[in-house]
Amino acid sequence: MRIEDYGLLGDLETAALVGRDGSVDWLCLPRFDSGACFAALLGGHNHGHWRIGPAAGGPAARRRYRPGTLILEQEWDVPEGTVRVIDAMPPRDEAANVVRVVEGVSGRVPMRMDLAIRLDYGASVPWVTRTVDGLSAVAGPDAVRLRTPAEIHGEGLSTVSEFAVDAGERVPFTLDWHPSHRPAPEPVLAFHALEQTDAFWQEWSEVSTYEGEWADAVGTSLRVLKALTYAPTGGIVAAPTTSLPEALGGVRNWDYRYCWIRDATLTLFALAQCGYAEEALAFRDWLLRASAGAADQLQIMYGLAGERRLPEQELPWLPGYEGASPVRAGNAAVEQFQLDVYGEMLDLAWLGFSRRQVQPIAWKRQVALIEFLEDAAWQPDEGIWEVRGPRRHFVHSKVMAWVAFDRAVRIGSAAQLEGPLQRWAQIRDDLHAEICAEGFDAERNTFTQYYGSRELDASLLIIPTTGFLPPDDPRVVGTIEAVRSELLQDGFVYRYSTGDEEGDVDGLPGKEGAFLPCSFWLCDALEATGRHDEAVELFERLLEVGNDLGLFAEEYDPVAGRMVGNFPQAFTHLAVITTAHRLSGLPAPKAHRA
């Protein structure tokens, strides 16, 4: 199936992807970053899946989320009648659960369940035993339990159930995980769990204060951010998947099941805009814990609980989504040096700043970051896009270093805190002058990707929103026009040029899809420069790229007309929220903002 053919379920600790054919093809247990027990998404059914649907097979005719929730309902129309499958993951209590209920709508529909549990990303076939209410599957540290009143039997290395449902009849199935050395958790009452899950999401959705246009898109995006939250720590993963390719059949396949610092400021701002203070504070606290330590050891990403080591490995037994290999677990970009994270940390401090909130220990940490940056700001780095080519003086990185010094000076001045504010102000001004001299192409009237380059980069679109230059500055206007001219293709913005004979700045072969967050950034840039109608037109065209459930991947291939990249992507969904907020003309949250 296409990436957009999947729907998302989540219990605030992990997530599942369910296809239009009724198959759960991706589920990591017990955490987002654990090994998958269903990995058919990156291989075939023999790598683990759980399908429930009409015996005749085929995709659902209709699907939707129950309003205000992430409870997925899919319906099939077959000659014998109509049937509905309801899927949910109740917010975690004792154990991780997937609840699936088959509901007859009309007629009498023959149904089939196929369950192939394959632990450790499809590598381990568990030992399966029958129980009085289903089965138990064990392999190493993992145990998975299926419970259902339906009759089940084995076929090869899978478990099958064949049954029929009449109109009004409901047949439940529940799947839970527990450590194999501990007893199985108490059975989940499927119908009661659905009611509780519905109530949870309804109550959570009602907190939103968003009152602008595009409320449905914003509401869905907020629920995606919530579903990608690891509740025990407050961290928000970039996506629940690994290795969905940025280009079909390509090698640009990365693991996004971790928390990025650069997402923090944007995510916190998006949540605060819509009234979700509790989630914003929880993510902020995660960030402060994860980033605690020496300033020169600040990482670009961390694990769900702040883990620092995320070693990258390849999983050769998985052929990859539509053959896109290698499949990777872990992310070697964790070892990269990226200047922009320092700017994001200080911008976050400025976003929540008030005289009453500045604590001495917080200021000491901010001072430590700036002191490290006094030398580091002048060094090359790998940049926002985590390129695997040589380090360069990326303009976006330098602008965010400027942001760090600018926000430190503002906070220190406003709160009358001790520090070499005059020296930092001078470094800020020197950086500004260098960027404008070395990172600007006067002949073409545009900022460039890195010093001395003629290449463009869509990250340059954030220049006016950082306060580096005002939106009406001719250099800003020229940069926006250059990006539109060179990186906008078929109505979508690409991050930068890829696929030339020299191997490009990122050191990787092949091309990638259009980067959806950058496309939304263009909307923001157009709005900032007074081109509201153009911004709205582009925004609404981008919303049409989302699937019928309102979900977005990281990228889009306009030639193939398909989503590519990990899915659903938090970065894209938070861009939907902030852009909708801007275009609706709603006020920013009550916090200082440049």
Side-chain angles (χ1 to χ4, degrees), residues 142-302:
D142 301 300
V144 177
R145 187 79 178 263
L146 172 72
R147 292 184 171 97
T148 180
E151 292 291 329
I152 61 175
H153 64 273
E155 286 188 7
L157 295 177
S158 299
T159 300
V160 172
S161 178
E162 296 172 313
F163 59 100
V165 289
D166 294 308
E169 184 181 0
R170 297 194 295 176
V171 181
F173 296 81
T174 63
L175 190 82
D176 58 57
W177 174 95
H178 65 94
S180 59
H181 66 278
R182 299 183 61 182
E186 290 297 315
V188 171
L189 301 177
F191 306 134
H192 179 62
L194 279 181
E195 293 176 0
Q196 288 185 314
T197 305
D198 189 286
F200 168 83
W201 282 109
Q202 290 282 1
E203 182 178 352
W204 191 84
S205 296
E206 289 172 0
V207 171
S208 176
T209 58
Y210 181 82
E211 295 180 347
E213 295 183 63
W214 311 289
D216 289 344
V218 169
T220 298
S221 293
L222 286 167
R223 285 186 286 277
V224 169
L225 292 183
K226 180 65 172 177
L228 299 184
T229 300
Y230 184 64
T233 65
I236 299 177
V237 298
T241 57
T242 179
S243 301
L244 287 178
E246 295 177 2
L248 297 172
V251 300
R252 298 167 182 260
N253 316 318
W254 316 113
D255 193 345
Y256 276 17
R257 298 171 299 157
Y258 307 110
C259 308
W260 267 254
I261 280 185
R262 81 165 46 87
D263 295 0
T265 299
L266 295 173
T267 302
L268 288 165
F269 191 56
L271 291 170
Q273 280 179 316
C274 298
Y276 289 98
E278 182 178 342
E279 284 74 14
L281 290 173
F283 195 17
R284 182 205 64 181
D285 291 345
W286 170 89
L287 176 61
L288 294 177
R289 292 191 306 270
S291 63
D296 62 348
Q297 294 181 335
L298 182 66
Q299 297 184 177
I300 67 167
M301 72 178 87
Y302 296 89

Side-chain angles (χ1 to χ4, degrees), residues 457-519:
D457 194 307
S459 63
L460 302 170
L461 293 170
I462 61 94
I463 287 177
T465 60
T466 64
F468 182 81
L469 287 173
D472 59 354
D473 188 288
R475 292 166 293 186
V476 171
V477 175
T479 300
I480 295 172
E481 288 306 309
V483 168
R484 293 184 72 188
S485 174
E486 299 185 29
L487 295 182
L488 183 69
Q489 300 179 29
D490 302 309
F492 301 93
V493 177
Y494 288 75
R495 293 189 292 185
Y496 49 86
S497 298
T498 59
D500 66 22
E501 296 180 356
E502 299 179 0
D504 301 310
V505 68
D506 61 22
L508 295 166
K511 295 181 178 292
E512 63 177 20
F515 199 70
L516 290 174
C518 291
S519 301

Side-chain angles (χ1 to χ4, degrees), residues 1-11 14-29 32 36-42 45 48-52 63 65 70 72 74 87-89 98 100 224 227-228 237 239-245 257 321 547 549 551-553 563 565-569 573:
M1 288 180 290
R2 299 173 304 170
I3 290 172
E4 52 264 48
D5 286 330
Y6 287 95
L8 173 73
L9 310 177
D11 69 353
T14 191
L17 295 187
V18 186
R20 284 184 180 272
D21 62 349
S23 182
V24 179
D25 285 349
W26 183 254
L27 175 61
C28 299
L29 291 171
F32 289 106
C37 69
F38 302 133
L41 179 71
L42 301 178
H45 285 172
H49 76 290
W50 184 20
R51 180 187 176 273
I52 301 178
R63 64 176 181 171
Y65 284 123
L70 283 186
L72 180 64
Q74 302 196 104
D87 294 325
M89 291 186 71
V98 181
R100 313 193 72 184
V224 169
L228 299 184
V237 298
T241 57
T242 179
S243 301
L244 287 178
R257 298 171 299 157
Y321 179 83
N547 71 6
L549 298 174
L551 305 181
F552 292 86
M563 291 188 191
N566 284 304
F567 172 87
Q569 175 80 356
H573 282 279

Side-chain angles (χ1 to χ4, degrees), residues 426-438:
Q426 185 60 55
I427 294 174
R428 175 192 63 187
D429 295 344
D430 290 345
L431 269 173
H432 196 284
E434 180 187 274
I435 294 166
C436 292
E438 303 293 335

Side-chain angles (χ1 to χ4, degrees), residues 380-394:
D381 73 339
E382 274 92 359
I384 180 176
W385 306 128
E386 298 163 14
V387 299
R388 302 206 173 187
R391 291 183 177 182
R392 302 176 189 270
H393 292 281
F394 288 102

